Amino acid sequence: MKSPAAIAETLGQRLKQARLNRDLTQQEVAERAGLSRKAVLNAEKGKAQLEVLIAILQALELTAQLDNFLPPQPPSPIQLAKLQGKQRQRASGQRGQGDRDKDEDEQEAPEW
């Protein structure tokens, strides 16, 4: 298994290759991304913060690749159950019994 530093270095090399494939200089990418040239240089060495990496990917028009890199994760069935809480199994039939005595004309309109 590769270390996080080795993976970061590989990502940096891929960023550099993507930049070169587009015939862009580090300065041009930096300007497009709103970063310094040094930030681009560091990213290409595998030393960048996540926001810097995303800015460079946007400048290189590669953000569509992020879904391949880390696809959206659906919630697990256990997590869904926790989020939904205890669901009612059936209606109790007790709601609104007092309203049956009123005529339809006397019932109040809902306040929305």
Side-chain angles (χ1 to χ4, degrees), residues 15-96:
L15 270 180
K16 181 176 182 176
Q17 191 59 53
R19 175 181 61 79
L20 293 173
N21 288 348
R22 287 164 179 72
D23 197 29
L24 295 171
T25 65
Q26 289 176 340
Q27 185 62 42
E28 290 170 326
V29 171
E31 289 171 5
R32 288 182 181 192
L35 302 169
S36 67
R37 187 191 69 77
K38 183 151 177 101
V40 174
L41 174 67
N42 286 337
E44 290 181 357
K45 291 180 179 179
K47 300 185 185 308
Q49 293 182 353
L50 188 57
E51 289 182 19
V52 170
L53 175 64
I54 293 169
I56 294 170
L57 289 173
Q58 287 175 329
L60 296 173
E61 298 177 352
L62 291 173
T63 52
Q65 301 295 323
L66 290 177
D67 279 342
N68 295 332
F69 172 66
L70 185 63
Q73 302 292 309
S76 71
I78 293 172
Q79 186 182 19
L80 279 175
K82 287 180 182 177
L83 290 174
Q84 291 176 349
K86 185 178 178 183
Q87 290 185 335
R88 291 175 47 179
Q89 299 298 318
R90 58 191 163 108
S92 66
Q94 296 179 3
R95 183 174 177 209

Side-chain angles (χ1 to χ4, degrees), residues 99-109:
D99 291 342
R100 289 184 187 166
D101 297 336
K102 293 182 183 179
D103 290 335
E104 286 184 31
D105 296 335
E106 294 176 12
Q107 288 187 1
E108 295 178 21

